[in-house]
Amino acid sequence: MQLFYNPGLTETTEHFLFPKEESKHIVKVLRKQTGDIMHITNGKGWLFTAEITIPNLKSCEAVIIGKELKPQPNYNLHLAVAPTKMNDRYEWFLEKATEIGIQSITPIICDHSERKVIKAERFEKILQSAMKQSLSCYLPSLHPAESFKSFVGKQQHGDLFIAHCEETDKKSLKNEIQPNTDITVLIGPEGDFSTSEIKLAIENGFKPVALGNTRLRTETAAIVACHSVAFSNEI
């Protein structure tokens, strides 16, 4: 099955037009014709089955012939991850986390961050592409980048964790995860969180955790955390 994304679709939509670029791809590349079946999600859990009525290169028309609301995960994972120095590493994290299963992502700017500007529009496209590739009907929420201090100072829900590299008393994240629970995990930049940031996070209810016995890159640590939560919530 090939999945398309159209955020404008709702459960009451009966027919719609694909955008110009997608229409060209559908008609010219995929060679779809009148009567061919398409699958589309709005990224909010709905999977729509559509039938092409007018395979126009500039505005391909389709009619909805079926719809299904896919069940939501029984947990909510929010990863707050510092942007990496090399942008492609953060993009890799976004892609793989979407494939594994994640609900929310916030880039956080830390004391040791070398990159403090993100390309939100490009990140959104990567999330959309990964969602379609993995045949998921839920698009992760990408929140605006904000400072570490601002993020940890906000009221958070569920279990809160900060993964850092300092040699202090830390629990293993995999042993701390409770299934069916909302979870927020902080992942720092290449230079790790500063001592003051770790202290501030703990003061705001975040528990220090380890992700293994080796030192991980930022993007690797984020994926390990993502997979640990997803694995712990498997039925």
Side-chain angles (χ1 to χ4, degrees), residues 18 51 55 61 73 85 87 89 100 112 130 144 154 158 162 164 180 183 195 214-215 221 225:
F18 283 97
E51 180 181 338
E61 295 187 29
K85 182 179 179 180
N87 208 45
R89 290 180 177 171
I100 294 168
H112 297 158
K154 292 180 178 178
I162 176 170
H164 65 80
N180 307 321
I183 295 176
T195 300
T214 58
R215 189 180 182 92

Side-chain angles (χ1 to χ4, degrees), residues 167 172 174 210-216:
E167 294 297 329
S172 171
K174 67 177 183 179
L211 299 175
N213 298 320
T214 58
R215 189 180 182 92
L216 305 175

Side-chain angles (χ1 to χ4, degrees), residues 9 25 43 72 94 97 112 127 156 163 178 192 211 214 216 235:
L9 296 183
H25 179 73
Q72 295 189 45
L94 293 173
H112 297 158
L127 293 176
Q156 308 288 343
Q178 297 295 322
D192 198 14
L211 299 175
T214 58
L216 305 175
I235 299 174

Side-chain angles (χ1 to χ4, degrees), residues 45-56:
W46 283 97
L47 176 64
F48 300 92
T49 303
E51 180 181 338
I52 294 178
T53 53
I54 303 178
N56 188 289

